[in-house]
Amino acid sequence: EIHERLVGSEMCIRDRHKGRSLTEIAADLGYFDQSHFVHDFKAYTGLTPKKYQKLLLHDSFEEKLRIVQ
């Protein structure tokens, strides 16, 4: 169940620029608090939602590498 929610969360993070807060995304996915969502997301992807979103915004490989380090 957690895996399914986190797979869906990746799409939600991509849509975050549409004005949805991380708290709203976490609640939509069944989390009661943002910190639990961030913890699970980082365990699943290796990145925080914020870093994951930054990664999606950049085209440059060098910039992406800087973000994940």
Side-chain angles (χ1 to χ4, degrees):
E1 183 179 316
I2 291 174
H3 180 270
E4 292 172 7
R5 285 195 291 180
L6 291 172
V7 169
S9 71
E10 291 182 73
M11 292 183 72
C12 291
I13 297 297
R14 291 178 186 153
D15 291 343
R16 188 170 173 206
H17 68 276
K18 295 179 181 175
R20 301 189 68 234
S21 72
L22 199 55
T23 302
E24 291 172 316
I25 292 169
D28 288 349
L29 294 168
Y31 286 91
F32 293 105
D33 61 65
Q34 179 180 335
S35 62
H36 188 201
F37 168 68
V38 171
H39 177 269
D40 285 354
F41 188 89
K42 187 173 181 180
Y44 178 71
T45 65
L47 301 169
T48 64
K50 186 175 182 175
K51 280 190 175 186
Y52 184 82
Q53 187 181 34
K54 283 183 180 181
L55 194 66
L56 295 174
L57 296 174
H58 293 282
D59 293 326
S60 159
F61 175 77
E62 289 81 14
E63 185 63 22
K64 288 182 179 193
L65 188 59
R66 187 186 67 74
I67 291 168
V68 298
Q69 292 182 350

